[in-house]
Amino acid sequence: MIALCTAYGEGALADWGALHLTQELGAHPGLAAAGYSLFALAMTVGRLSGTVMLERLGQTRTLVAGGSAAAAGMLLGTLAPTVWSALLGFTITGLGLANIFPVAVDRAGALAGPTGVAAASTLGYGGMLLGPPVIGFLADWYSLPVALTSVAVLAAGAAAIGYATRGASDGRPQRG
């Protein structure tokens, strides 16, 4: 479920981020394209530094910090009154989401072996496919900014699930 929540956000930003910046905030199309670029660049930087984070924080803290940062960043990105603050929010979201999917797949593998990896990967990529149409339906029913806040809700959900399922799969020695 953690992988699904994370990949949902990746798919949603890839398909709806630039539209939000142009339609809701009046960004020039070239600047709106920078929204996804900044998100993707931040995810790349986050993944490249993920090993260091995991070694210092462990899986649970990495999941909780990442999900919390992604939720805060997405709220800033979707509810911000200016293009520049929305771009900052998308960047924070990318940093936050960067390591959640790999950690979720690793946890699933540690708990259930190859079957767990397959299940987490399938759910995760399903979330990437599910995110854009769900955002579209929500935008039609409410508005695009409200629809995009679902990314923040799911990122916070990933953090909560990561915290609730902490323990033997955390990658740190257990006491006691």
Side-chain angles (χ1 to χ4, degrees), residues 33-162:
Y36 181 72
S37 298
L38 288 170
F39 170 77
L41 179 63
M43 280 199 69
T44 301
V45 169
R47 289 223 172 131
L48 290 174
S49 62
T51 301
V52 173
M53 269 186 69
L54 286 165
E55 288 173 351
R56 291 188 181 180
L57 301 177
Q59 287 185 346
T60 298
R61 288 184 181 148
T62 298
L63 286 173
V64 172
S68 300
M74 201 60 203
L75 287 175
L76 176 62
T78 58
L79 303 176
T82 67
V83 173
W84 297 107
S85 53
L87 290 173
L88 176 63
F90 287 0
T91 303
I92 294 168
T93 303
L95 285 171
L97 292 179
N99 292 299
I100 299 175
F101 187 89
V103 170
V105 172
D106 181 62
R107 273 189 170 190
L111 294 172
T115 304
V117 171
S121 297
T122 300
L123 282 171
Y125 290 115
M128 190 173 287
L129 295 173
L130 180 69
V134 168
I135 297 291
F137 285 121
L138 291 172
D140 188 46
W141 295 332
Y142 303 104
S143 70
L144 185 53
V146 169
L148 286 171
T149 61
S150 66
V151 174
V153 170
L154 289 178
I161 294 168

